[in-house]
Amino acid sequence: MPNLKFCKMKIIKAPYKSWGGIHPRYHKDLAADRALREMPLPELLQISMSQHLGAPAKPVVKKGDSVMQGTLIGEAAGFISANVHSPVSGVVKDVVPAITLTGAMIDSVVIEPDGEDKRVNDLAPLADWQAVAKKDLIARVAAAGVAGMGGAGFPTHVKLSPPPDKTIDTLIINGAECEPYLTADYRLMLESPERVWLGVSILRHILGAKTVRIAIEDNKPEAIRAMEQAMRNADGDVAIVELATEYPQGAEKQQIFAITGREVPSGGLPMDVGAVVENVGTAAAVFDAVFEGMPLIRRITTVTGLPLNAPGNIIAPLGTSYRALIEACGGCADTVKLISGGPMMGIAQAIDTVTTTKTTSGLLALGAPDVSLYESMPCISCGRCVDACPMNLVPSELSQYLEAEDYEGAEELHVMDCIECGCCAFSCPAHRPLVQHMRQGKARVMLKRKKK
Amino acid sequence: MAEAIDKQDHLFVVSSSPHTHSGASVKAIMLDVIIAMLPLTGAAIYLFGWNAIRLLLVCVISCVATEAACRKAMGRNAGIDDLSAVVTGMLLAFNLPPALPSWMAVTGSVIAIALAKQVFGGIGYNPFNPALIARVALLISFPVAMTTWSPWIMAAPAAGIDALTSATPLGAFKSAIDFGQTVPYLTNSTTFMQFFVGHQNGCIGEVSSLAILLGGLYLLFRRCISWQIPAFYLGSVAVLSTLIWAVAPDKNLPPHLHLVTGGLMLGAFFMATDMVTTPVTRKGMAVFGAGCGILTVLIRVWGGYPEGVSFAILLMNAVTPLINRATRPRVFGTGKKKS
Ligand code: SF4
Ligand code: SF4
């Protein structure tokens, strides 16, 4: 028997039931069993300066410059921003504005790889990280340009620097991956659980959190087993939490509630309830940054969809075009809709020359059978959106306010608390564009607040 | 930007997330309601024969025709593809007495669709249940025809003498009480079972609680209705009628007969659960159901009509917007209710 005495790791069920939620068809089988693989280097990489949430980085290279793998090419512009590094060695062909996956025009650095993968060692590996001061570790995470890899891309060093009046007692590592189709986090936990766990240990050390919870949906038993194995010598209050398989268990607020029973206050942040949530991919990136001195220059993207010939989980350098990713997965002629991310919260792309960022967790190709044009009907008051909303909003009513352009009324009804998870629109038999209404409403309210 | 787009040989479809859907549709819900009404349809035809077939056909055809005509007149897509007019037609037929002349049924159908639904803007906008509006309008316009029932043998409490009556159980009871008499039929379990399966007078779709329950269970199973409305409706009728009966057992119908007479079962499972005219929140649905139950008993016991289901539901329809406002759930992360 292994040294069970020292094995304090436990697997627990989520103690609280989060509200609302839906059970979409998951389609994870398309890519779940495809091992991580690298793809052939694209001819050109177009690296957006907006890889993360917050201000785009400022380009610090110009046309004609030679760069190496890990060369800083964009510098964080402000506190909520993140550095960007070159994923390859090669030559800067251009610095131009280009369309990003959100549709915005943002400066991008275009690099032609030379195929030699020469690497700069600006960041020294900190193998003995326990001996390093916390602020230096945070500085390292910032220097390496680590940003939340679950989707939002919030700069990690910011999350790791809570104001002194906030104590963080719980670190939650999000491996729920509740978006249908996506398997990137699953493969990471399966294939590199030690990297994830060491990254978690570094994060825990920085935050001084006494409780650590690894949250994984119970439809991923293999991932749970792999993480359990990697964490067998963990000490202290560390546990894997098996979440019920339900969308959106991976949403930050819902996850904190399911695990701690604490509600992040309306308009507040997880740190207001003493919690920090980091994605498993982010934990691995922190490990790379600290342990190996490797900035965040590539990520795992699940390239999937029924029309694809060979779906897979691809390790691609930042700035890889979506077209190249699709080609690396056998290509597909029948794509009608191309989605950056998963089907619930992903962003539909008009063109496939858009390139990957630190947040591109998935690329989903939908064929004609999965793309229907609906005529939206008046609300029939069935209440299904109310049942489904994890934030306990009344989407039907909000959508009527927003259609009537009553933004103040919508604000009073907490439109700003909408997390745009899509549960309401997914459930609506009248096919009302509820999330679209919420987004428009949120944008209007933001505009109004700014003016004030 | 334009350049990048020009370079692309074709553009993909873009739309707001989510990019997937549960598959639910208004039409599918209406189809489920129609399926749930099949046991009732069977029971109505078995019990009332040709008259049931006649009324169902007349109501469905004239509701669908009125719907199509209204939509055409208003320049909307003239289709009836959401099937809601079929549902309204069937529900209206179920709320009519068997011998009602066809032309009256047609009048009711036009009222239901044109006045109670399309005038407000069509499906989703009507504040009141269209079939009930039509029923009440017919009741006021044609009071005799709307309360003419077939003869029915009731087991009288006086030893062994069964009486022939052409009133509904609630009507016979009400007139007896009004004349200072006691309950005019046995209130034992035999009577209950007789009423429960449908051997009583009443509208063609309301007499068989058994058939209604079968359909209601299907609706619950298919999640077309929430359990709150029927449970709180029937529950509050049971509780309130028990209290009243306990006070004066001679003057009041016992609760088990309240539950299987009149339009209560049909109302609780098929009329008070109409999505459009009832609250969207679970708590609101409970309040709605309880309100219907209380009003039904009050009207039955103290009102001028023997039956109060239609009025109770319509009254509660009127306060549905208020209930919705008062029962908004507490938003995640807020200490108080949504103001
Ligand atoms: S998108 Fe917004 S309104 Fe809709 S279910 Fe999610 S949180 Fe609720
Ligand atoms: S799900 Fe659609 S039809 Fe039903 S209440 Fe919500 S908005 Fe209205």
Side-chain angles (χ1 to χ4, degrees):
Chain A
M1 248 206 187
N3 50 347
L4 265 185
K5 212 171 108 207
F6 300 103
C7 179
K8 299 192 191 97
M9 241 298 302
K10 45 190 182 180
I11 300 181
I12 55 176
K13 294 266 175 210
Y16 300 89
K17 163 90 185 74
S18 40
W19 306 342
I22 54 167
H23 298 96
R25 291 186 59 203
Y26 285 96
H27 292 292
K28 301 242 186 202
D29 49 323
L30 288 177
D33 295 331
R34 309 290 178 127
L36 296 176
R37 65 181 167 93
E38 299 198 17
M39 61 179 281
L41 214 47
E43 278 166 33
L44 282 180
L45 295 176
Q46 173 186 302
I47 303 137
S48 170
M49 292 295 105
S50 185
Q51 296 277 332
H52 47 264
L53 199 86
K58 196 165 92 295
V60 291
V61 289
K62 52 185 193 312
K63 195 168 171 174
D65 285 358
S66 298
V67 291
M68 291 205 275
Q69 189 178 56
T71 304
L72 185 73
I73 57 173
E75 201 173 52
F79 183 56
I80 302 192
S81 183
N83 286 345
V84 182
H85 304 81
S86 173
V88 291
S89 59
V91 181
V92 175
K93 298 302 276 185
D94 216 343
V95 180
V96 283
I99 299 181
T100 67
L101 56 90
T102 61
M105 287 292 272
I106 302 282
D107 278 342
S108 301
V109 174
V110 183
I111 295 174
E112 184 179 26
D114 59 16
E116 291 177 25
D117 273 353
K118 284 180 303 233
R119 183 177 157 187
V120 284
N121 290 318
D122 287 350
L123 308 175
L126 304 172
D128 197 14
W129 53 271
Q130 271 130 324
V132 179
K134 285 179 189 175
K135 72 170 197 329
D136 293 336
L137 286 172
I138 297 176
R140 162 56 58 89
V141 170
V146 181
M149 295 173 79
F154 195 76
T156 302
H157 64 275
V158 182
K159 268 195 195 176
L160 295 180
S161 325
D165 60 318
K166 307 272 182 212
T167 19
I168 305 299
D169 60 9
T170 306
L171 169 64
I172 295 172
I173 301 299
N174 187 350
E177 202 162 50
C178 61
E179 265 280 358
Y181 287 97
L182 304 191
T183 52
D185 291 346
Y186 170 70
R187 288 311 307 185
L188 175 68
M189 289 187 282
L190 208 59
E191 296 188 36
S192 305
E194 291 82 11
R195 265 173 76 221
V196 174
W197 172 239
L198 280 169
V200 174
S201 307
I202 298 170
L203 289 167
R204 175 194 195 183
H205 174 67
I206 295 175
L207 288 165
K210 83 179 186 316
T211 303
V212 178
R213 294 287 179 263
I214 317 284
I216 308 175
E217 280 190 346
D218 59 11
N219 63 350
K220 302 177 190 64
E222 294 88 350
I224 293 174
R225 261 203 301 281
M227 286 306 300
E228 186 189 10
Q229 180 64 20
M231 293 160 63
R232 64 193 175 281
N233 292 323
D235 53 4
D237 184 11
V238 174
I240 293 177
V241 179
E242 261 185 29
L243 297 171
T245 301
E246 185 179 74
Y247 180 86
Q249 289 283 322
E252 201 168 61
K253 293 179 177 182
Q254 278 58 39
Q255 197 163 83
I256 295 172
F257 181 78
I259 292 172
T260 67
R262 303 177 198 162
E263 286 177 37
V264 176
S266 166
L269 291 170
M271 65 169 77
D272 294 330
V273 292
V276 163
V277 182
E278 293 286 4
N279 168 267
V280 285
T282 315
V286 165
F287 166 80
D288 294 346
V290 172
F291 220 77
E292 312 206 320
M294 179 64 116
L296 177 48
I297 53 172
R298 50 190 193 172
R299 71 154 294 146
I300 306 169
T301 300
T302 303
V303 185
T304 183
L306 292 169
L308 267 187
N309 292 322
N313 299 289
I314 309 295
I315 302 172
L318 303 181
T320 301
S321 78
Y322 286 178
R323 183 182 294 172
L325 270 177
I326 296 274
E327 271 157 21
C329 290
C332 154
D334 313 323
T335 308
V336 178
K337 213 168 173 185
L338 187 66
I339 292 153
S340 181
M344 292 305 298
M345 291 188 74
I347 305 172
Q349 305 294 318
I351 54 177
D352 60 9
T353 50
V354 166
T355 58
T356 60
T357 70
K358 292 169 186 173
T359 63
T360 311
S361 49
L363 186 60
L364 171 62
L366 292 179
D370 285 325
V371 182
S372 325
L373 195 64
Y374 296 114
E375 207 177 319
S376 110
M377 290 180 58
C379 167
I380 58 161
S381 303
C382 66
R384 292 185 184 188
C385 55
V386 184
D387 283 350
C389 179
M391 295 303 290
N392 250 3
L393 302 172
V394 182
S396 53
E397 190 182 21
L398 268 169
S399 134
Q400 277 154 11
Y401 274 68
L402 294 165
E403 262 184 341
E405 302 188 6
D406 179 355
Y407 301 113
E408 268 168 32
E411 195 179 357
E412 265 172 42
L413 293 184
H414 289 273
V415 68
M416 297 309 283
D417 283 299
C418 168
I419 58 170
E420 296 173 30
C421 65
C423 292
C424 52
F426 176 86
S427 315
C428 179
H431 291 286
R432 293 182 56 75
L434 297 167
V435 180
Q436 194 172 323
H437 286 162
M438 303 297 159
R439 280 211 191 94
Q440 282 168 356
K442 286 170 78 173
R444 289 301 187 106
V445 174
M446 285 298 270
L447 210 66
K448 198 190 79 193
R449 285 186 184 175
K450 255 188 215 150
K451 273 192 201 142
K452 270 188 189 160
Chain B
M1 187 155 170
E3 193 197 340
I5 289 178
D6 286 347
K7 266 192 267 169
Q8 188 87 8
D9 27 19
H10 79 290
L11 297 179
F12 300 109
V13 174
V14 288
S15 68
S16 165
S17 65
H19 309 286
T20 179
H21 192 268
S22 59
S25 72
V26 176
K27 187 176 176 175
I29 293 174
M30 294 300 161
L31 195 61
D32 266 336
V33 177
I34 293 172
I35 292 171
M37 288 190 289
L38 291 180
L40 264 98
T41 308
I45 294 173
Y46 173 74
L47 292 164
F48 298 100
W50 161 245
N51 268 336
I53 300 177
R54 175 182 61 88
L55 285 175
L56 277 161
L57 282 178
V58 166
C59 288
V60 168
I61 292 171
S62 42
C63 278
V64 168
T66 313
E67 172 105 345
C70 288
R71 295 183 67 141
K72 194 150 186 214
M74 291 191 293
R76 296 185 189 191
N77 156 19
I80 47 113
D81 41 10
D82 62 36
L83 293 176
S84 62
V86 177
V87 170
T88 305
M90 291 177 77
L91 285 175
L92 176 60
F94 289 144
N95 275 289
L96 299 176
L100 194 81
S102 297
W103 69 269
M104 289 186 192
V106 174
T107 312
S109 305
V110 174
I111 293 173
I113 299 293
L115 285 183
K117 181 175 168 194
Q118 293 295 342
V119 160
F120 293 101
I123 186 164
Y125 295 114
N126 51 298
F128 297 103
N129 186 317
L132 285 182
I133 288 277
R135 177 191 152 111
V136 169
L138 290 176
L139 196 63
I140 294 167
S141 318
F142 314 111
V144 178
M146 281 296 284
T147 50
T148 300
W149 317 100
S150 353
W152 158 71
I153 298 167
M154 59 185 183
I161 309 165
D162 289 354
L164 199 66
T165 174
S166 55
T168 63
L170 286 175
F173 170 76
K174 186 124 199 156
S175 37
I177 297 295
D178 286 350
F179 283 109
Q181 299 159 355
T182 51
V183 188
Y185 38 83
L186 286 174
T187 57
N188 57 17
S189 59
T190 318
T191 310
F192 173 83
M193 281 316 293
Q194 180 197 344
F195 289 175
F196 180 76
V197 296
H199 292 299
Q200 58 171 318
N201 257 337
C203 298
I204 65 166
E206 70 185 19
V207 291
S208 174
S209 300
L210 176 64
I212 296 166
L213 275 176
L214 284 177
L217 286 179
Y218 177 80
L219 288 179
L220 282 170
F221 171 70
R222 300 283 297 166
R223 294 178 190 275
C224 285
I225 62 174
S226 61
W227 61 268
Q228 278 87 352
I229 291 180
F232 278 84
Y233 196 162
L234 299 175
S236 59
V237 168
V239 170
L240 194 58
S241 62
T242 306
L243 291 177
I244 293 171
W245 177 71
V247 172
D250 291 350
K251 298 272 169 213
N252 287 290
L253 211 53
H256 64 278
L257 292 187
H258 264 293
L259 288 174
V260 293
T261 52
L264 182 59
M265 281 288 171
L266 184 64
F269 283 100
F270 286 91
M271 315 300 289
T273 52
D274 168 49
M275 292 169 175
V276 172
T277 55
T278 56
V280 291
T281 64
R282 294 285 170 151
K283 229 188 258 169
M285 293 174 187
V287 171
F288 185 93
C292 287
I294 293 167
L295 288 173
T296 299
V297 175
L298 293 184
I299 297 171
R300 279 184 179 182
V301 175
W302 288 292
Y305 284 95
E307 173 57 312
V309 168
S310 306
F311 295 109
I313 296 174
L314 288 173
L315 281 169
M316 291 309 290
N317 286 163
V319 293
T320 289
L322 289 178
I323 299 177
N324 272 333
R325 225 162 295 158
T327 57
R328 285 185 196 119
R330 182 177 67 80
V331 177
F332 187 97
T334 61
K336 54 178 178 43
K337 296 217 172 178
K338 281 179 242 187
S339 51

